[in-house]
Protein backbone atom coordinates (compact mmCIF):
# COMPACT_ATOMS: atom_id res chain seq x y z
CA UNK A 1 0.00 0.00 0.00
CA UNK A 2 1.56 3.26 -1.20
CA UNK A 3 -0.55 5.51 1.01
CA UNK A 4 -2.08 7.25 -2.02
CA UNK A 5 -5.80 6.73 -2.41
CA UNK A 6 -7.91 7.21 -5.50
CA UNK A 7 -11.66 7.16 -5.91
CA UNK A 8 -13.59 5.71 -7.57
CA UNK A 9 -11.85 2.48 -8.62
CA UNK A 10 -14.06 2.08 -11.65
CA UNK A 11 -16.16 4.53 -13.58
CA UNK A 12 -18.43 3.81 -16.52
CA UNK A 13 -20.00 6.69 -18.35
CA UNK A 14 -21.23 7.81 -21.74
CA UNK A 15 -19.68 10.00 -24.41
CA UNK A 16 -20.19 13.70 -23.84
CA UNK A 17 -20.39 13.35 -20.08
CA UNK A 18 -18.18 14.86 -17.39
CA UNK A 19 -16.50 13.00 -14.55
CA UNK A 20 -14.30 13.86 -11.58
CA UNK A 21 -11.52 11.65 -10.31
CA UNK A 22 -10.22 12.16 -6.81
CA UNK A 23 -6.81 11.61 -5.29
CA UNK A 24 -5.57 11.85 -1.72
CA UNK A 25 -1.77 11.99 -1.47
CA UNK A 26 0.39 10.41 1.18
CA UNK A 27 0.39 12.31 4.42
CA UNK A 28 2.79 15.23 4.17
CA UNK A 29 3.38 15.01 0.41
CA UNK A 30 2.93 18.36 -1.29
CA UNK A 31 3.18 17.22 -4.90
CA UNK A 32 0.46 15.41 -6.82
CA UNK A 33 0.82 14.05 -10.35
CA UNK A 34 -1.79 12.74 -12.76
CA UNK A 35 -1.12 10.15 -15.45
CA UNK A 36 -3.17 8.46 -18.14
CA UNK A 37 -2.40 4.90 -19.21
CA UNK A 38 -4.05 3.52 -22.31
CA UNK A 39 -3.26 0.65 -24.66
CA UNK A 40 -2.48 2.83 -27.66
CA UNK A 41 -0.82 5.82 -25.93
CA UNK A 42 1.09 4.08 -23.18
CA UNK A 43 1.75 6.03 -19.99
CA UNK A 44 1.30 9.76 -20.37
CA UNK A 45 2.12 12.42 -17.82
CA UNK A 46 -0.79 14.85 -17.61
CA UNK A 47 -0.10 17.43 -14.94
CA UNK A 48 1.59 18.10 -11.60
CA UNK A 49 0.54 20.28 -8.71
CA UNK A 50 2.77 21.42 -5.90
CA UNK A 51 1.17 22.82 -2.75
CA UNK A 52 -1.89 24.00 -4.62
CA UNK A 53 -0.18 25.45 -7.67
CA UNK A 54 0.35 23.98 -11.10
CA UNK A 55 4.02 22.94 -11.38
CA UNK A 56 4.34 21.03 -14.65
CA UNK A 57 2.12 20.26 -17.59
CA UNK A 58 2.32 17.33 -19.96
CA UNK A 59 -0.04 16.03 -22.62
CA UNK A 60 -3.23 17.17 -20.98
CA UNK A 61 -6.15 17.93 -23.26
CA UNK A 62 -8.05 21.20 -22.96
CA UNK A 63 -11.15 19.16 -22.05
CA UNK A 64 -9.30 18.01 -18.94
CA UNK A 65 -8.52 20.12 -15.92
CA UNK A 66 -7.16 19.53 -12.46
CA UNK A 67 -6.74 21.30 -9.19
CA UNK A 68 -5.21 20.75 -5.79
CA UNK A 69 -7.11 21.90 -2.74
CA UNK A 70 -5.79 23.42 0.50
CA UNK A 71 -5.95 20.00 2.19
CA UNK A 72 -3.70 18.80 -0.67
CA UNK A 73 -6.12 16.36 -2.21
CA UNK A 74 -6.50 16.71 -5.95
CA UNK A 75 -9.23 16.26 -8.50
CA UNK A 76 -8.97 15.58 -12.21
CA UNK A 77 -11.98 16.72 -14.21
CA UNK A 78 -12.63 15.17 -17.58
CA UNK A 79 -15.36 16.70 -19.73
CA UNK A 80 -16.97 16.12 -23.13
CA UNK A 81 -15.77 12.56 -22.83
CA UNK A 82 -14.86 10.59 -25.94
CA UNK A 83 -14.41 6.88 -26.45
CA UNK A 84 -10.66 7.43 -26.64
CA UNK A 85 -10.59 8.78 -23.10
CA UNK A 86 -11.17 5.27 -21.79
CA UNK A 87 -8.03 4.50 -19.82
CA UNK A 88 -6.49 3.97 -16.42
CA UNK A 89 -5.87 7.24 -14.63
CA UNK A 90 -3.19 7.22 -11.98
CA UNK A 91 -2.40 9.72 -9.31
CA UNK A 92 0.98 9.86 -7.63
CA UNK A 93 2.37 11.96 -4.81
CA UNK A 94 5.83 12.90 -3.65
CA UNK A 95 7.52 14.95 -0.98
CA UNK A 96 9.30 16.81 -3.76
CA UNK A 97 11.01 20.04 -2.95
CA UNK A 98 11.24 22.97 -5.29
CA UNK A 99 14.18 21.73 -7.35
CA UNK A 100 14.94 18.07 -6.78
CA UNK A 101 12.46 15.44 -8.00
CA UNK A 102 11.62 12.92 -5.34
CA UNK A 103 10.24 9.40 -5.39
CA UNK A 104 6.67 9.24 -6.59
CA UNK A 105 4.19 6.94 -4.90
CA UNK A 106 1.35 5.80 -7.11
CA UNK A 107 -2.25 5.17 -6.24
CA UNK A 108 -4.12 2.08 -7.47
CA UNK A 109 -5.73 4.00 -10.32
CA UNK A 110 -9.22 4.73 -11.58
CA UNK A 111 -10.37 2.75 -14.58
CA UNK A 112 -12.56 4.93 -16.78
CA UNK A 113 -14.72 3.34 -19.43
CA UNK A 114 -16.53 5.62 -21.87
CA UNK A 115 -19.34 3.93 -23.78
CA UNK B 1 12.52 16.63 -29.62
CA UNK B 2 12.89 15.36 -26.11
CA UNK B 3 12.00 11.75 -25.55
CA UNK B 4 12.66 8.44 -23.88
CA UNK B 5 13.04 5.20 -25.82
CA UNK B 6 12.71 1.65 -24.64
CA UNK B 7 13.70 -0.23 -27.78
CA UNK B 8 12.39 -3.62 -26.67
CA UNK B 9 8.69 -4.23 -26.21
CA UNK B 10 9.47 -7.50 -24.48
CA UNK B 11 12.47 -9.15 -22.85
CA UNK B 12 12.57 -12.87 -22.11
CA UNK B 13 15.05 -14.32 -19.67
CA UNK B 14 15.42 -17.55 -17.73
CA UNK B 15 15.25 -17.50 -13.96
CA UNK B 16 18.70 -17.13 -12.44
CA UNK B 17 20.15 -15.41 -15.51
CA UNK B 18 21.10 -11.73 -15.57
CA UNK B 19 18.61 -9.35 -17.09
CA UNK B 20 18.89 -6.00 -18.83
CA UNK B 21 16.07 -3.67 -19.79
CA UNK B 22 17.26 -0.91 -22.07
CA UNK B 23 16.47 2.80 -21.95
CA UNK B 24 17.89 5.68 -23.94
CA UNK B 25 16.91 9.30 -23.67
CA UNK B 26 17.11 12.49 -25.61
CA UNK B 27 16.80 15.66 -23.55
CA UNK B 28 18.55 18.96 -23.48
CA UNK B 29 20.80 19.41 -20.51
CA UNK B 30 21.32 16.99 -17.68
CA UNK B 31 18.55 14.54 -16.86
CA UNK B 32 16.98 13.12 -13.79
CA UNK B 33 16.28 9.45 -14.62
CA UNK B 34 13.87 6.95 -13.10
CA UNK B 35 12.74 3.36 -13.38
CA UNK B 36 9.29 2.17 -12.37
CA UNK B 37 7.70 -1.27 -12.37
CA UNK B 38 4.06 -2.13 -12.88
CA UNK B 39 2.65 -5.48 -11.86
CA UNK B 40 -0.63 -6.68 -13.42
CA UNK B 41 -3.66 -4.68 -12.27
CA UNK B 42 -1.49 -2.52 -10.02
CA UNK B 43 -0.19 1.02 -10.04
CA UNK B 44 3.44 1.83 -10.72
CA UNK B 45 6.10 1.32 -8.11
CA UNK B 46 9.32 3.27 -7.90
CA UNK B 47 12.48 1.19 -8.38
CA UNK B 48 15.34 3.66 -8.50
CA UNK B 49 16.48 7.08 -9.66
CA UNK B 50 19.58 8.87 -10.82
CA UNK B 51 19.93 12.47 -9.67
CA UNK B 52 23.66 13.06 -9.52
CA UNK B 53 26.86 11.41 -8.33
CA UNK B 54 27.78 7.77 -8.84
CA UNK B 55 26.69 6.52 -12.24
CA UNK B 56 25.66 3.14 -10.81
CA UNK B 57 22.43 3.41 -8.89
CA UNK B 58 21.09 0.62 -6.69
CA UNK B 59 17.38 0.32 -6.09
CA UNK B 60 14.64 -1.91 -4.78
CA UNK B 61 14.40 -5.70 -5.18
CA UNK B 62 18.07 -6.05 -6.22
CA UNK B 63 17.78 -3.89 -9.32
CA UNK B 64 20.43 -1.44 -10.41
CA UNK B 65 20.89 0.94 -13.30
CA UNK B 66 23.87 2.60 -14.88
CA UNK B 67 23.78 6.15 -16.14
CA UNK B 68 25.94 6.53 -19.25
CA UNK B 69 26.08 10.14 -20.33
CA UNK B 70 28.03 9.56 -23.56
CA UNK B 71 25.56 6.94 -24.74
CA UNK B 72 22.56 8.75 -23.19
CA UNK B 73 21.43 5.49 -21.66
CA UNK B 74 20.09 4.32 -18.34
CA UNK B 75 19.74 0.54 -18.62
CA UNK B 76 18.11 -1.42 -15.82
CA UNK B 77 19.93 -4.55 -14.67
CA UNK B 78 19.68 -7.39 -12.20
CA UNK B 79 22.35 -10.07 -11.73
CA UNK B 80 19.89 -12.94 -11.22
CA UNK B 81 16.30 -12.77 -12.41
CA UNK B 82 13.36 -14.14 -10.46
CA UNK B 83 10.03 -15.31 -11.86
CA UNK B 84 8.42 -12.68 -9.61
CA UNK B 85 10.30 -9.96 -11.54
CA UNK B 86 7.95 -10.54 -14.47
CA UNK B 87 6.18 -7.20 -14.96
CA UNK B 88 6.07 -4.07 -17.09
CA UNK B 89 9.01 -1.71 -16.66
CA UNK B 90 8.99 2.00 -17.45
CA UNK B 91 11.92 4.36 -17.83
CA UNK B 92 11.27 8.06 -17.25
CA UNK B 93 13.28 11.25 -17.59
CA UNK B 94 12.91 14.75 -16.25
CA UNK B 95 15.24 17.36 -17.72
CA UNK B 96 17.27 19.19 -15.10
CA UNK B 97 16.83 22.51 -16.89
CA UNK B 98 13.22 21.98 -17.89
CA UNK B 99 11.68 20.80 -14.69
CA UNK B 100 8.18 21.26 -16.02
CA UNK B 101 8.42 18.21 -18.25
CA UNK B 102 8.34 14.52 -17.47
CA UNK B 103 8.72 11.88 -20.18
CA UNK B 104 7.98 8.16 -19.96
CA UNK B 105 9.14 5.39 -22.23
CA UNK B 106 6.64 3.05 -23.83
CA UNK B 107 7.38 0.26 -21.39
CA UNK B 108 9.12 -3.13 -21.65
CA UNK B 109 7.44 -6.32 -20.62
CA UNK B 110 9.85 -8.58 -18.78
CA UNK B 111 9.09 -12.30 -18.83
CA UNK B 112 11.16 -14.47 -16.52
CA UNK B 113 10.68 -18.16 -17.18
CA UNK B 114 11.32 -20.87 -14.57
Amino acid sequence: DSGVTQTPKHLITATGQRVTLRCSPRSGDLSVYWYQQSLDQGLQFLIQYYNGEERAKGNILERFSAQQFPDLHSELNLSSLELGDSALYFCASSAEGRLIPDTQYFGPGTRLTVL
Amino acid sequence: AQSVAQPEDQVNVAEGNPLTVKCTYSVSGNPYLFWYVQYPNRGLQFLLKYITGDNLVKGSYGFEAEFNKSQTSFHLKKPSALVSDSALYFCAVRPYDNFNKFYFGSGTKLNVKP
Side-chain angles (χ1 to χ4, degrees):
Chain A
D1 183 6
S2 66
V4 178
T5 60
Q6 288 186 248
T7 57
K9 289 187 76 172
H10 303 275
L11 197 48
I12 300 174
T13 188
T15 54
Q17 295 298 306
R18 172 190 169 95
V19 297
T20 297
L21 312 183
R22 184 189 168 100
C23 168
S24 292
R26 292 189 322 153
S27 177
D29 282 357
L30 298 180
S31 272
V32 169
Y33 303 75
W34 285 100
Y35 297 88
Q36 180 194 58
Q37 187 176 33
S38 60
L39 283 174
D40 55 345
Q41 297 278 346
L43 187 63
Q44 301 277 331
F45 165 63
L46 295 178
I47 198 164
Q48 178 201 358
Y49 278 83
Y50 175 79
N51 203 20
E53 295 186 1
E54 184 182 304
R55 163 69 73 86
K57 207 166 188 176
N59 299 323
I60 188 167
L61 300 173
E62 285 191 12
R63 300 184 285 109
F64 296 0
S65 65
Q67 58 185 132
Q68 186 179 26
F69 295 86
D71 68 352
L72 301 177
H73 91 270
S74 178
E75 292 181 356
L76 179 67
N77 300 298
L78 315 177
S79 62
S80 303
L81 285 168
E82 302 175 0
L83 295 178
D85 297 327
S86 295
L88 258 175
Y89 290 84
F90 288 108
C91 165
S93 75
S94 77
E96 183 171 306
R98 296 201 67 80
L99 293 177
I100 303 296
D102 204 348
T103 301
Q104 293 182 35
Y105 295 88
F106 282 75
T110 292
R111 183 172 291 281
L112 173 66
T113 302
V114 182
L115 302 175
Chain B
Q2 307 196 73
S3 64
V4 179
Q6 292 180 242
E8 301 154 319
D9 289 337
Q10 187 165 295
V11 169
N12 298 312
V13 64
E15 188 174 31
N17 282 0
L19 70 88
T20 299
V21 183
K22 295 180 181 177
C23 171
T24 59
Y25 63 90
S26 172
V27 297
S28 57
N30 294 321
Y32 295 123
L33 295 156
F34 305 82
W35 275 102
Y36 292 87
V37 60
Q38 185 178 28
Y39 297 100
N41 301 313
R42 301 281 296 276
L44 275 73
Q45 294 180 33
F46 169 81
L47 276 180
L48 51 78
K49 65 183 176 185
Y50 171 81
I51 302 297
T52 187
D54 193 350
N55 289 344
L56 184 63
V57 179
K58 293 189 183 295
S60 306
Y61 312 121
F63 284 93
E64 58 187 31
E66 186 165 13
F67 170 58
N68 187 319
K69 189 172 183 178
S70 62
Q71 296 186 3
T72 62
S73 67
F74 190 55
H75 300 332
L76 181 70
K77 299 182 180 184
K78 187 172 182 180
S80 178
L82 299 172
V83 172
S84 57
D85 292 330
S86 298
L88 189 58
Y89 290 80
F90 291 94
C91 179
V93 62
R94 196 164 193 177
Y96 175 81
D97 57 356
N98 189 0
F99 206 63
N100 292 333
K101 298 299 181 184
F102 207 165
Y103 305 95
F104 276 79
S106 55
T108 298
K109 187 175 181 187
L110 174 65
N111 295 313
V112 181
K113 299 178 181 177

